[in-house]
Amino acid sequence: MLFNSYPFLLFFLPFALALFYGALTTRRDVLPSFALLVASVVFYAIWQVSFLWLLAASIAWNYGMGFAILRQRAKGNARTTLAILVAGVAADLAVLAYYKYSSFALENVRQLLGADWEVAKAVLPLGISFYTFTQIAYLVDAKRGHASNASFTRYALFVTYFPHLVAGPILNHKEMIPQFSWA
């Protein structure tokens, strides 16, 4: 759904605004973030519901890795912190490489071998590069001590926030997370 389309302007945007402003009236700090998270997940699902599981798994993985990095950094375990960072970034890049380049690589191998098998095209999940690199930047910031341990809801909103999810840019954790405080 494009931001200048009638479905966005007439249906989604009013839904998201009503959800957000309704949550603001509760005077509970986490509910507006949760409302925007719900709206962002709905926005992504409208585009491509089949890869919602991948987005959720990526968020859970990177939140856990970021938590581990921040915890080990606080303990002063620089080597463990680096190992966790490398594992987190490697897993993120492996998933990204699979979806972006596996069909290309298999097709080249097929042609090189002169084989006659058919290479299935991997379907590219919407926004995978943006949300992957946003989370890698978060892990690097956590390692450097430039990120804080936000709640899972705020972290998930940081990754899925619908105005940037499918078109970027890559967001900075320390600039965005404070903006999700509604108190």
Side-chain angles (χ1 to χ4, degrees), residues 44-109:
Y44 189 83
I46 288 170
W47 277 90
Q48 196 169 41
V49 72
S50 61
F51 285 110
L52 205 51
W53 68 271
L54 182 63
L55 177 61
S58 177
I59 290 168
W61 168 258
N62 284 289
Y63 183 77
M65 296 306 273
F67 181 80
I69 288 170
L70 290 170
R71 191 171 191 189
Q72 291 303 316
R73 190 175 192 289
K75 291 180 180 179
N77 297 335
R79 292 181 66 178
T80 305
T81 303
L82 181 60
I84 296 168
L85 173 66
V86 168
V89 171
D92 286 337
L93 292 177
V95 170
L96 185 62
Y98 169 76
Y99 281 104
K100 289 192 85 120
Y101 303 112
S102 63
S103 295
F104 172 75
L106 287 173
E107 179 62 27
N108 283 323
V109 168

